[in-house]
Amino acid sequence: MKEILDTILNSETQGADFAALPLPDSYRAITLHRDEEHMFDGLAPRDRDPRKSLHLDEVPVPEPAWGEAVIAVMASAVNYNTVWSSIFSPVSTFAFLRRYGKLSQLTSRHDLPYHIVGSDLAGVVLKTGPGVNIWKPGEEVVAHCLSVELESADGHNDTMLDPEQRIWGFETNFGGLAELALVKTNQLMPKPKHLTWEEAATPGLVNSTAFRQLVSHNGAGMRQGDNVLIWGASGGLGAYATQYALAGGAIPVCVVSSPAKAELCRSLGAELIIDRSAEGYKFWKDERTQDPKEWKRFGARIRELTGGEDVDIVFEHPGRETFGASVYVTRRGGTVVTCASTSGFMHEYDNRYLWMSLKRIIGSHFANYREAWQANRLISKGMIHPTMSKVYPLEEASQAACDVHQNLHHGKVGVLCLSPYEGLGVRDHELRDKHLAEINRFRNV
Ligand SMILES: NC(=O)c1ccc[n+]([C@@H]2O[C@H](COP(=O)([O-])OP(=O)(O)OC[C@H]3O[C@@H](n4cnc5c(N)ncnc54)[C@H](OP(=O)(O)O)[C@@H]3O)[C@@H](O)[C@H]2O)c1
């Protein structure tokens, strides 16, 4: 592994040098263990501790098959899906690996007694399998997390509709929180040259998801001037949604839970901000009963901020706790677009407000390759910026997951994998200097 790292760190290295590098027999990776998948049974999801289930193990290196590559991972990031994996909720991800393993001899490699998690990376192509023509050893890349087989006709308009669509590092093995990763090469995209390895590793999953959910015609198809209510507007997804709203000429109404988070949204350029903690919204009277008076109070507050207008789009992901309010506050003819249910997936809302006011609910999930590419292009051009607040070494990835689980983070948190320290990997200093303040906005909040 030292030879691989030295080759990457040596500025004189050519692609041929990477092609000549032998792969090691094993590498360090953050794993879950199948024999522990019931360790939290009986505990509520919020009481399950990722530090107990995530391990740092030495694992064997997989050989890249047709259309695959082994990547030297310089840095990765913690996504909420790693939190879900680590608390074995709502299901154990070993169930995904078992199912994937049944598809073919090749996919059976994923069904192992350990699951290497992580759905983001920035790194260098080390070795490609047969049938790979456009990616070469030595290329600096980021990987999006869409894994598809595309054997069925269904996925050929929009690859997210492939019946064998999976999220790499969540529903497949050999993920990004590791020194090496195995990906399909149609996950690869050029690393933004003005960013460090860790900055480049953090946007991928959430940036692509927010792009599809808010901007793409497959999601809400946001237009100039739209009022967009964004839950968790300084969090993983939300800070990208806020940036897309502002960059696209829309008007974000940012919901956050602290003055520090409100300040982050303000520094991004948002003007309409609701601190849900300070204003004390309580949409549920008890576990079974919602409080429409609170929906109304929330709607009135939005109108107060917008000068009397309702929101055209609600960017939803908290789920059960907020969904009733989201449907209520959406403008007549407007759209609730949802990609998640952090607080619970059994949603309840008053359907009269949906049908009588001709509103739409759209489900959105990650992004197809083209959407991920478009979202990455905007990062590469310095038009959308990383939101990295903190970086952890690989040894502390479980603490990073714990912090995200406890909602103690801002924006995104990065994880150093092979990169020995922060700040490496910048190739375009001119573009970086131009955007340094925006790139560092979430640091040390
Ligand atoms: N389908 C997909 O492709 C996809 C992709 C990415 C993420 N997700 C899912 O989306 C969810 C959010 O991911 P993320 O990366 O944005 O996580 P995150 O970084 O934790 O941010 C979520 C934010 O939502 C807000 N929030 C949490 N619980 C809330 C509640 N009960 N009511 C109101 N606001 C609440 C919090 O902000 P405040 O405390 O400031 O309000 C939090 O910072 C997760 O469930 C994740 O699994 C799905």
Side-chain angles (χ1 to χ4, degrees):
M1 204 59 79
K2 185 175 179 309
E3 197 185 346
I4 291 173
L5 182 59
D6 289 345
T7 309
I8 294 170
L9 296 181
N10 179 354
S11 55
E12 308 288 303
T13 311
Q14 310 278 319
D17 301 323
F18 284 97
L21 276 176
L23 287 184
D25 292 331
S26 65
Y27 64 108
R28 294 187 316 150
I30 298 294
T31 64
L32 293 163
H33 295 176
R34 187 166 62 198
D35 60 7
E36 292 180 348
E37 66 182 335
H38 296 294
M39 67 190 296
F40 296 132
D41 285 3
L43 280 179
R46 67 176 171 280
D47 298 327
R48 300 179 180 194
D49 187 344
R51 292 171 300 188
K52 293 189 175 149
S53 55
L54 289 170
H55 305 277
L56 181 59
D57 286 337
E58 195 76 25
V59 294
V61 175
E63 191 59 28
W66 183 269
E68 293 180 344
V70 171
I71 310 294
V73 183
M74 295 300 276
S76 182
V78 171
N79 284 293
Y80 216 94
N81 66 3
T82 291
V83 174
W84 296 124
S85 305
S86 69
I87 61 173
F88 302 109
S89 176
V91 290
S92 160
T93 46
F94 286 99
F96 299 140
L97 301 185
R98 278 189 282 270
R99 202 171 313 136
Y100 191 34
K102 286 188 186 140
L103 192 65
S104 70
Q105 201 185 343
L106 272 183
T107 65
S108 68
R109 294 174 303 161
H110 290 252
D111 185 11
L112 294 168
Y114 56 86
H115 186 186
I116 304 163
V117 292
S119 300
D120 270 319
L121 69 73
V124 180
V125 178
L126 282 184
K127 186 172 181 185
T128 55
V132 177
N133 304 310
I134 60 173
W135 297 99
K136 306 274 184 252
E139 285 184 303
E140 298 188 347
V141 293
V142 290
H144 71 75
C145 61
L146 172 62
S147 168
V148 280
E149 311 299 320
L150 289 180
E151 287 187 287
S152 150
D154 292 355
H156 282 261
N157 269 347
D158 173 9
T159 47
M160 281 307 298
L161 300 183
D162 184 30
E164 298 295 340
Q165 176 270 319
R166 290 178 173 81
I167 297 297
W168 160 72
F170 179 61
E171 293 163 293
T172 75
N173 218 323
F174 315 113
L177 284 166
E179 293 173 330
L180 300 180
L182 182 73
V183 297
K184 293 181 192 274
T185 50
N186 59 16
Q187 288 175 242
L188 296 178
M189 309 187 289
K191 172 190 166 284
K193 291 186 174 19
H194 64 303
L195 300 180
T196 63
W197 293 112
E198 57 280 6
E199 288 161 358
T202 54
L205 184 148
V206 285
N207 180 38
S208 311
T209 305
F211 181 89
R212 179 180 175 111
Q213 188 176 351
L214 191 57
V215 180
S216 167
H217 67 272
N218 289 316
M222 181 191 80
R223 289 170 305 178
Q224 292 195 7
D226 279 352
N227 291 324
V228 184
L229 182 77
I230 301 168
W231 290 105
S234 70
L237 284 170
Y240 285 93
T242 302
Q243 292 188 68
Y244 280 118
L246 290 164
I251 302 159
V253 180
C254 296
V255 187
V256 290
S257 66
S258 73
K261 290 180 173 185
E263 193 45 46
L264 272 174
C265 294
R266 222 167 272 124
S267 76
L268 283 169
E271 292 175 358
L272 314 184
I273 297 163
I274 297 175
D275 181 338
R276 66 182 173 100
S277 298
E279 297 180 24
Y281 297 103
K282 213 163 165 267
F283 300 127
W284 290 80
K285 288 184 201 163
D286 57 49
E287 276 197 7
R288 289 159 169 254
T289 327
Q290 298 207 51
D291 186 351
K293 280 201 193 111
E294 283 293 271
W295 301 345
K296 284 184 187 147
R297 183 163 78 92
F298 186 57
R301 177 74 175 118
I302 292 169
R303 284 185 181 169
E304 191 186 331
L305 290 172
T306 58
E309 294 176 344
D310 292 328
V311 291
D312 301 273
I313 299 168
V314 179
F315 186 86
E316 244 295 337
H317 51 87
R320 181 169 175 82
E321 209 159 301
T322 55
F323 206 82
S326 293
V327 170
Y328 177 79
V329 300
T330 302
R331 197 195 107 230
R332 199 174 170 81
T335 304
V336 179
V337 62
T338 175
C339 78
S341 291
T342 313
S343 65
F345 48 80
M346 295 303 279
H347 298 185
E348 272 178 39
Y349 61 89
D350 186 332
N351 201 33
R352 292 169 298 177
Y353 294 112
L354 191 86
W355 99 73
M356 296 293 284
S357 297
L358 300 107
K359 304 177 187 183
R360 296 183 305 157
I361 295 171
I362 295 178
S364 188
H365 186 39
F366 188 61
N368 63 38
Y369 192 7
R370 179 72 191 140
E371 290 161 336
W373 189 282
Q374 287 173 293
N376 184 57
R377 173 175 171 268
L378 293 170
I379 301 267
S380 296
K381 284 183 161 296
M383 295 168 75
I384 297 290
H385 302 287
T387 59
M388 190 180 73
S389 58
K390 197 170 171 185
V391 183
Y392 296 72
L394 190 60
E395 295 77 7
E396 290 173 27
S398 64
Q399 181 63 51
C402 181
D403 290 351
V404 172
H405 185 29
Q406 301 300 324
N407 195 15
L408 296 176
H409 65 300
H410 297 294
K412 293 293 300 177
V413 298
V415 175
L416 292 181
C417 297
L418 277 175
S419 189
Y421 47 87
E422 292 179 42
L424 299 174
V426 177
R427 310 291 176 229
D428 183 344
H429 290 275
E430 201 181 325
L431 186 60
R432 181 176 185 80
D433 290 346
K434 204 169 147 195
H435 294 294
L436 203 53
E438 294 111 305
I439 293 167
N440 284 327
R441 182 172 279 134
F442 280 63
R443 293 307 304 257
N444 307 317
V445 177

